Amino acid sequence: MIAINTTFHIPCRIKPQFVRWLRESYVPQACGSGCVTSPVIFRILGGSEETPDHMSMACQLTAPTLAAAKNWHDGHGAVLRSEMHRLWGKDVLYFTTYLEVIPVAEPGESAASEK
């Protein structure tokens, strides 16, 4: 399983509109593509890029493989980022990180078990 984590750096003044866009456009279209699932939206706290006027947020999705994650990012994701650019131009910056999900416990083991 691969997590696709896209971090956005936004002006605080657009936070309500940006969160609405993530909830009503980005996430439904991403998950509607059939390529990604399990959306989660985060606000990043205490980052070095946070200022009184700017903040960072992230949207995390999952894909079954790295190839599927990259395919979504370069296809459907690119369309959504174009929409974002049309709405806010250079006010919103982003970067994407691919993360391999590593289970906390081995298969058949409880996460809290001691060895």
Side-chain angles (χ1 to χ4, degrees):
M1 177 90 52
I2 303 297
I4 308 161
N5 190 83
T6 302
T7 300
F8 304 95
H9 187 65
I10 66 169
C12 293
R13 65 179 162 72
I14 70 164
K15 180 187 176 196
Q17 297 91 345
F18 189 76
V19 170
R20 186 176 329 109
W21 178 75
L22 286 173
R23 288 177 176 153
E24 295 176 3
S25 187
Y26 189 89
V27 167
Q29 289 184 55
C31 292
S33 72
C35 302
V36 295
T37 60
S38 308
V40 182
I41 299 170
F42 300 94
R43 174 169 180 197
I44 299 170
L45 303 174
S48 62
E49 300 298 320
E50 190 169 340
T51 69
D53 297 327
H54 289 83
M55 61 184 293
S56 294
M57 303 189 75
C59 183
Q60 190 172 91
L61 306 162
T62 59
T65 65
L66 180 57
K70 288 182 175 182
N71 185 50
W72 178 84
H73 180 269
D74 296 344
H76 291 94
V79 171
L80 292 169
R81 290 188 306 277
S82 291
E83 178 184 341
M84 178 184 71
H85 184 73
R86 181 183 56 77
L87 292 169
W88 294 291
K90 294 181 181 178
D91 279 348
V92 177
L93 305 175
Y94 76 92
F95 66 91
T96 299
T97 307
Y98 301 103
L99 307 164
E100 179 181 13
V101 177
I102 299 174
V104 173
E106 293 290 330
E109 233 179 50
S110 166
S113 69
E114 295 182 31
K115 291 189 176 195

